[in-house]
């Protein structure tokens, strides 16, 4: 089992939760307050929020993370594939920590097989910006993510997790993780919910489809892309 579950650190957990609800995500835990953590379910993948102090080094940052079924078995298979996985008790329980060639470190922890937002059309998309594209792609393959789409230029590779969510590797000068979403439909359908939640989305018409940009309470611009329909310049990988 593998599910994408990025972790957003924010000093405005209530505002962050409001944005996720406005997008149509469903709370999977108790209502969030500014002194707690929470998890929200999309149709594909989840987003975890963790409160932090205003101005702290974590505030506004997003970390890559995954749900797995059995932490020890995940670690064994990952190491068997060629990527080191360290078993640890940090965080909320047993987890496997992966340290990547570009210096990033992420956790895979036990999570449920099912989630509660199956009626939505939104998938979580964690974008891993890195100068080390090849090694990052190998890590995602080794943890069990399935290649989906790659650009002909080799600057974009995205993967699907078996139990929900997407994770992409994007060539960049420095390492950073970005929370984004992919909508299996017309992103204009999300405008009403966002406006009703007090947010001001901006529509962008790109060469490969429409997307929305929303300023998040944690200080980042969140992208919601429509599913890619035109594949000029891309390779589509067959799912095994």
């Amino acid at each position: 089992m593998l599910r994408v579950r990025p972790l957003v650190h924010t000093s405005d957990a209530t505002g962050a939760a409001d944005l996720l609800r406005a997008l149509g995500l469903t709370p999977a835990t108790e209502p969030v307050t500014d002194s707690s953590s929470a998890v929200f379910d999309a149709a594909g993948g989840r987003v975890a929020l963790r409160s932090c102090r205003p101005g702290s080094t974590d505030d506004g940052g997003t970390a890559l993370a995954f749900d797995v079924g059995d932490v020890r078995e995940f670690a064994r298979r990952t190491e068997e594939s060629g990527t080191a996985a360290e078993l640890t008790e940090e965080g909320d329980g047993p987890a496997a920590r992966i340290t990547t060639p570009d210096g990033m470190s992420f956790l895979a922890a036990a999570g449920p097989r099912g989630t509660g937002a199956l009626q939505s059309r939104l998938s979580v998309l964690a974008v891993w910006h890195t100068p080390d594209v090849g090694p990052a792609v190998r890590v995602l393959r080794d943890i069990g993510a399935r290649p989906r789409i790659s650009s002909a230029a080799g600057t974009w590779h995205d993967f699907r997790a078996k139990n929900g969510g997407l994770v992409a590797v994007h060539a960049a000068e420095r390492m950073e993780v970005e929370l984004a979403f992919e909508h299996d439909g017309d992103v204009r359908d999300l405008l009403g919910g966002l406006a009703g939640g007090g947010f001001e989305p901006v529509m962008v018409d790109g060469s490969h489809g429409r997307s929305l940009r929303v300023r998040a309470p944690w200080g980042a611009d969140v992208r919601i892309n429509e599913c890619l329909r035109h594949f000029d310049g891309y390779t589509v990988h067959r799912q095994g």
Side-chain angles (χ1 to χ4, degrees):
M1 180 190 129
L2 186 71
R3 178 184 297 111
V4 179
R5 181 186 47 79
L7 172 62
V8 177
H9 294 87
T10 175
S11 58
D12 184 4
T14 300
D18 288 344
L19 173 59
L20 297 181
R21 288 191 185 93
L23 284 167
L25 277 72
T26 303
T29 55
E30 292 300 315
V32 67
T33 69
D34 282 331
S35 60
S36 67
S37 299
V39 177
F40 286 77
D41 293 331
R46 322 177 91 191
V47 178
L49 302 178
R50 181 161 295 166
S51 297
C52 62
R53 294 188 305 276
S56 66
T57 56
D58 288 341
D59 196 6
T62 298
L64 186 62
F66 296 88
D67 284 345
V68 296
D70 183 314
V71 171
R72 289 186 177 276
E73 180 63 12
F74 167 82
R76 185 192 68 78
R77 291 183 178 182
T78 298
E79 293 209 328
E80 191 175 75
S81 297
T83 291
E86 175 190 3
L87 291 173
T88 176
E89 292 291 331
E90 62 188 289
D92 299 322
R97 178 168 290 284
I98 311 293
T99 301
T100 64
D102 63 4
M104 182 175 68
S105 184
F106 65 84
L107 289 176
R113 289 200 171 270
T115 62
L118 300 180
Q119 300 305 311
S120 79
R121 305 182 71 178
L122 205 66
S123 290
V124 176
L125 170 61
V127 184
W128 177 1
H129 301 274
T130 178
D132 299 323
V133 171
V137 167
R138 287 195 295 274
V139 167
L140 293 180
R141 288 179 180 270
D142 288 350
I143 69 170
R146 299 172 174 178
R148 190 181 67 139
I149 302 168
S150 299
S151 67
T155 57
W156 176 273
H157 303 264
D158 80 21
F159 293 75
R160 185 182 300 279
K162 180 179 179 181
N163 293 83
L166 307 166
V167 56
V169 175
H170 183 236
E173 292 185 359
R174 64 185 182 91
M175 193 279 293
E176 183 181 21
V177 177
E178 172 194 359
L179 173 64
F181 296 91
E182 184 175 280
H183 184 59
D184 184 18
D186 190 330
V187 291
R188 291 174 294 189
D189 294 341
L190 302 175
L191 292 173
L194 288 166
F199 299 95
E200 300 179 353
V202 175
M203 177 76 70
V204 177
D205 283 308
S207 58
H208 291 281
R210 287 181 293 263
S211 64
L212 300 179
R213 302 288 189 274
V214 184
R215 190 66 175 173
W218 57 86
D221 287 328
V222 174
R223 294 183 294 147
I224 306 101
N225 300 326
E226 291 183 356
C227 288
L228 196 64
R229 307 295 184 191
H230 306 288
F231 298 101
D232 293 343
Y234 287 86
T235 298
V236 179
H237 302 279
R238 298 180 63 181
Q239 300 295 308

